[in-house]
Every structure is written in C-alpha cells, then in structure tokens.
Amino acid sequence: MTMTHAARLLDWYDRHRRTLPWRAPPGERAVPYLVWLSEIMLQQTTVATVGDYFHRFVKRWPTVEALAAAPIDEVLSAWAGLGYYARARNLHACARAVQQRHGGVFPRSEEELLALPGIGRYTAAAIRAIAFDEPASAVDGNVERVIARLFAIETPLPDAKAEIDLRAAGLVPAQRAGDYAQAMMDLGATVCTPRGPRCVICPLMTGCEARKRGIAEELPRRAAKALKPTRRGLAFVLTRKDGAVLLRKRPPRGLLGGMDEVPSSDWREGVLSVTEALKQAPVPARWKVLDGGVRHTFTHFHLELAVAHAAAATSGLARLAPGSAWCTIDQMTERALPTVMRKVIAHAAKG
C-alpha cells in the first residue's frame, strides 16, 4: 500500500466522516480529555450506546480536573449500565494521575500515556494520533478487519495480531495522522463491515487483496472460542413497606468492584442448591423463591440467578451487615447498580 491509498482514504473521510460527539470539527484539533474519555467508553461498547453516557459525563465533569475531584461512587453511578466496570475505576484513577503527575494536561508520549491507569497500547496510540496528530497506529477491531482484508491475512485471530499491527503501522501517513486513524475506524464501521462489506463503494477496493480473491467476508478468521462456564446463585431482594430495596456494596477490587448489588449467595458452577443458598440470606425473613430467574453474560462466564423475595421485618433491621443500605425506587438512578442487579430488581417487581 502506498501513500496514494492513504490519500484516497482521507479524501473519502473528508466527504463521509461520521459526526460524533467527541470528534472535533474538520480542521480543528481534538481535546485530549474528550478523546481519552470516548476511547475508554467505547471499549467493548457500541457507538450508539456510548453517546448518551458521554454527553452526561462531559456535562457533569467537563474537564479531567473535575473528574479527578469527583467521588468514585458518583463516577461508578454515572457509569452504571455501560458494563466492564473496571474501566470506570481505571477512568477515575487515570484522571487523578493526570492531575497529580501532569498538572491536568494529558501527556503526548507513548511511555507516559502507558504509565497511566487503564491506558493500553491501542488507547495510547488513539490519543497520540487523534489528540496530538502524532503518526501513531491505532488498531481497534474495525481497523483489524480492514487490514486483514486489505492484505488477505488468513491467519486466525488472535495469532494474526502481530502481522496486522505491523501492516497497519506501515500505512500511517506523516501528515493528518489523526484524521487517518479516524478514517480507518469509520471505514471499518460503515463500509468494511463484518457482514456484507460494501466493497463497491470502498475507497481502497482497488488494492484490497481479499476482494480480489472473493474472500472479504470470510476475514478476519478467528480461532474457535472456548465455551464459557455458567455460574449460578440466589439473589435476595428484601423490601420495606415504602418499596425500598436492600443493597450492599461489593468489595473495591474484582468483578463489579465498588458497585452496589442486591445481596446474593456465592456464584458457583453446577446445579444450584436453593436450600444451601438460602443459608446465605442477608437477614432472617420469610424468603419466597420466585418463578424464573435472571441470566446475564460477563466476559468469562454466564450467570444465572434465581431470585428470592421477602418483606423486611422490623426485628431484622438491626442486623444488617456493614456496607448495606436501603435504596428507594427514586434513588435507583443515583446508585452504581450494574445491569444484572437492575434485572434482578425488575424480576422481583414482576413476581
């Protein structure tokens, strides 16, 4: 691929670029804080989902200084629903690190960016290219697909990553590196799509080896994924007369760290023993196990939760564990409740 191809891609981008809330207008340099925030939010999440969250975050915390000064519970609450909650904890930690180490100004060197919490090679490259116009190669899933097809790389992912990264790095132009990075992302998202790629309107069609061989839709190939295990547990929805639900805080580290949750038994593989699970109820009560349950998928496993409901008795209120608190329905939006716990509460409300 030559610079002619980069020129074609940039010409296409100038005419077809997507309008995104974090993207700077044509000819203007992007704000590093907005680039970083959007890239963290977009990890494992679609553009359509991120838009509203991004607007709310920026309205509430318009600068990295403001985000660094925010309590972590407020950040987790604002993040609730986006999933992969370690990103939110790292987001907050990174904002504080930028404030403390760099005076609230994002660094532009790869070494300094990689030293910040939650920033890996892709995010560092995206920030350097888009925010500082450095000739860095930012390879996300969309770009992987474009490169695999452009060079007809048939080695399955993840083994193909090294070759894809090498090929992608060799294409980055010295000028307009930020526009080029975003053009590659846009091309993968709107033209070089996973299914039904629109090859006839692709600005790179003449140089695409996969198109010539008729295998574009087959690439990139992927190694077979291992089956995810299924864990099971029993969630305990305890309610007061005013409709408030008992919540507790999860440990700060690990899965859903620092988030609020409905108390539950341990999550284990195998058949759920309701009798054993009921022994882990947060308070003594007349627990009724409801029909059906909730299923949720995490990165490494599926979770199936049966749901038990009980009305709080006055005698049990004094024995609530530390970290537990009542949450009324109108307070739910202010709590850092992950999606799976919202599903549990909704299921209890129906039952």
Side-chain angles (χ1 to χ4, degrees):
M1 188 180 228
T2 66
M3 287 301 294
T4 301
H5 293 82
R8 288 178 183 172
L9 183 61
L10 287 167
D11 181 62
W12 171 85
Y13 179 70
D14 288 340
R15 289 179 285 115
H16 300 288
R17 58 180 283 155
R18 291 180 294 176
T19 300
L20 300 172
W22 47 83
R23 188 170 279 179
E28 295 185 19
R29 183 66 59 83
V31 178
Y33 171 64
L34 302 185
V35 174
W36 163 74
L37 179 60
S38 66
E39 289 296 340
I40 299 300
M41 285 187 167
L42 286 165
Q43 292 170 10
Q44 307 291 330
T45 311
T46 65
V47 167
T49 299
V50 165
D52 288 342
Y53 283 89
F54 180 84
H55 281 301
R56 288 197 295 269
F57 257 77
V58 173
K59 183 177 180 179
R60 190 167 181 178
W61 302 297
T63 63
V64 70
E65 294 93 336
L67 183 57
I72 182 60
D73 284 350
E74 291 186 12
V75 176
L76 288 171
S77 176
W79 192 274
L82 268 178
Y84 302 92
Y85 295 98
R87 292 182 298 164
R89 297 193 296 276
N90 283 331
L91 186 85
H92 188 251
C94 184
R96 290 193 166 185
V98 170
Q99 183 66 19
Q100 293 166 2
R101 301 177 199 173
H102 304 287
V105 177
F106 271 89
R108 63 192 299 163
S109 77
E110 181 181 36
E111 181 180 6
E112 289 178 308
L113 285 168
L114 288 174
L116 294 170
I119 293 186
R121 293 199 175 277
Y122 164 74
T123 306
I127 293 171
R128 292 181 65 223
I130 300 170
F132 300 111
D133 215 30
E134 295 279 349
S137 179
V139 182
D140 67 355
N142 283 323
V143 177
E144 273 186 347
R145 185 166 57 256
V146 172
I147 296 297
R149 290 171 174 173
L150 202 55
F151 293 97
I153 298 172
E154 297 194 51
T155 304
L157 288 167
D159 292 344
K161 281 184 177 291
E163 183 179 357
I164 288 174
D165 288 348
L166 186 64
R167 294 281 196 176
L171 304 180
V172 179
Q175 304 296 323
R176 296 188 66 188
D179 284 344
Y180 175 82
Q182 293 173 107
M184 286 289 279
M185 296 172 190
D186 281 10
L187 187 70
T190 64
V191 176
C192 195
T193 50
R195 298 287 177 265
R198 305 161 69 192
C199 298
V200 293
I201 63 170
C202 179
L204 306 183
M205 65 176 291
T206 57
C208 181
E209 286 299 316
R211 185 192 68 83
K212 292 177 184 177
R213 301 182 194 180
I215 59 172
E217 194 163 355
E218 300 173 23
L219 301 181
R221 305 193 195 283
R222 298 183 184 276
K225 291 183 178 180
L227 292 177
K228 292 182 180 180
T230 297
R231 299 178 188 173
R232 297 174 177 86
L234 179 62
F236 300 96
V237 179
L238 187 69
T239 56
R240 289 191 316 203
K241 289 183 178 180
D242 63 357
V245 177
L246 181 70
L247 300 179
R248 70 182 179 190
K249 186 76 68 178
R250 288 183 64 86
R253 301 291 177 188
L255 181 69
L256 304 179
M259 303 291 287
D260 293 313
E261 69 170 354
V262 172
S264 72
S265 66
D266 297 334
W267 300 347
R268 298 175 180 173
E269 293 182 36
V271 177
L272 173 67
S273 170
V274 173
T275 301
E276 289 299 313
L278 282 169
K279 295 177 182 178
Q280 297 184 52
V283 296
R286 294 184 177 180
W287 293 102
K288 177 186 177 184
V289 179
L290 307 177
D291 292 336
V294 167
R295 182 176 171 87
H296 190 79
T297 297
F298 292 100
T299 307
H300 301 298
F301 67 95
H302 302 293
L303 176 65
E304 293 180 355
L305 290 176
V307 179
H309 175 259
T314 304
S315 60
L317 301 185
R319 294 194 290 274
L320 296 183
S324 299
W326 292 102
C327 180
T328 60
I329 297 301
D330 60 349
Q331 293 172 330
M332 288 291 178
T333 56
E334 302 170 10
R335 302 302 290 259
L337 266 178
T339 300
V340 62
M341 295 304 159
R342 296 184 185 276
K343 290 181 181 178
V344 166
I345 293 171
H347 186 77
K350 292 188 299 183

